[in-house]
Amino acid sequence: MDYPGNLFVVAAPSGAGKSSLVKALLELDSHVQPSVSHTTRAPRGQEKHGREYFFASESEFDAMVRADAFVEWAHVHSHRYGTSKKAIEERMSQGADVILEIDYQGALQIKKIFSNAVTIFILPPSWEELRSRLERRGEDSATVIDIRLENAAEEVAQVGQFDFVIINESFDRALFDLKSIVHSQRLKFLAQRRARAQTFQALHIP
Ligand code: 5GP
């Protein structure tokens, strides 16, 4: 499938700073739009249906799987999460850049379907730093943190399958890296020819 917009897929172990980086990018760049996933987990805190996620019951999720409504879906931390076709195709066909913040299994599935998707993996600078970020967050018990770190080791082992790697040691540097990846896609020949059609015509470039 060829869409005018770019599809960016960001994966990272929990605590690596993925959500904060994507949030900062969205605030800076209105041309990038998030895709809202479906999940069977319950809303947390101030989360709103249709904003952070579409919260679905197990049977609603099953029905969407049966109707082939997902581009990808996966079990993550004992719940199901999925990206609906509708969530990304509508936006991308209008030329927007869409960013997905999903787990590595979903990211690799997306790459198989959309070969032009740009996959980005965010690494923590060290295991010690990841542990202390999870501890500072104060959301999880010591046992849950141990489980998250075990899962993280499995996730990090997949980094070689991604197009780009950002090491989130300094937030500003990592945000600069993410912006650079997004910007570089817009400088590709086909993207420039589409975005700057008049200039290309004036230069007699077919
Ligand atoms: P949380 O419940 O903390 O919001 O998200 C848990 C994990 O699920 C995160 O790694 C998040 O990126 C991932 N996730 C969120 N939406 C999707 C999705 O649509 N597909 C997949 N595969 N993972 C998702």
Side-chain angles (χ1 to χ4, degrees):
M1 280 171 268
D2 180 33
Y3 291 111
N6 292 300
L7 182 57
F8 299 100
V9 190
V10 185
S14 85
K18 172 177 65 164
S19 304
S20 317
L21 281 169
V22 170
K23 189 163 172 268
L25 176 74
L26 292 170
E27 278 165 13
L28 287 170
D29 189 337
S30 60
H31 195 67
V32 181
Q33 294 186 12
S35 151
V36 180
S37 297
H38 284 70
T39 181
T40 57
R41 84 150 162 77
R44 284 196 294 246
Q46 302 297 309
E47 286 181 340
K48 262 203 194 139
H49 183 76
R51 191 178 61 189
E52 283 80 9
Y53 285 106
F54 293 108
F55 296 97
S57 65
E58 295 291 345
S59 59
E60 284 165 347
F61 202 96
D62 282 340
M64 288 184 72
V65 172
R66 277 198 305 273
D68 199 21
F70 289 118
V71 189
E72 65 74 35
W73 68 272
H75 287 275
V76 189
H77 309 316
S78 60
H79 294 291
R80 286 185 292 172
Y81 294 81
T83 309
S84 74
K85 290 183 179 162
K86 196 166 166 245
I88 56 176
E89 288 179 351
E90 265 176 19
R91 288 178 170 153
M92 283 175 67
S93 57
Q94 289 158 7
D97 287 339
V98 175
I99 194 158
L100 307 184
E101 199 193 316
I102 62 179
D103 90 305
Y104 79 90
Q105 308 166 77
L108 299 176
Q109 286 183 56
I110 292 277
K111 186 74 183 182
K112 279 192 199 145
I113 301 165
F114 298 97
S115 55
N116 293 337
V118 178
T119 55
I120 304 162
F121 199 95
I122 299 172
L123 286 175
S126 67
W127 290 117
E128 292 71 30
E129 177 59 22
L130 187 64
R131 176 180 284 279
S132 62
R133 284 183 192 171
L134 289 170
E135 286 168 355
R136 278 201 301 271
R137 216 158 72 167
E139 280 175 7
D140 304 309
S141 64
T143 328
V144 172
I145 291 181
D146 285 343
I147 297 171
R148 288 202 187 277
L149 287 170
E150 264 172 44
N151 291 340
E154 207 178 292
E155 289 159 30
V156 162
Q158 309 299 323
V159 63
Q161 299 192 61
F162 284 70
D163 298 319
F164 290 96
V165 182
I166 295 175
I167 299 175
N168 187 9
E169 188 160 23
S170 126
F171 184 82
D172 290 346
R173 171 72 211 205
L175 181 58
F176 172 81
D177 290 346
L178 183 58
K179 283 192 297 189
S180 306
I181 295 167
V182 169
H183 189 61
S184 68
Q185 298 308 305
R186 296 179 181 156
L187 300 180
K188 283 188 167 166
F189 170 72
L190 290 177
Q192 285 280 49
R193 195 176 59 180
R194 203 176 267 138
R196 304 290 303 270
Q198 283 184 349
T199 307
F200 273 62
Q201 259 168 24
L203 291 168
H204 311 298
I205 302 169

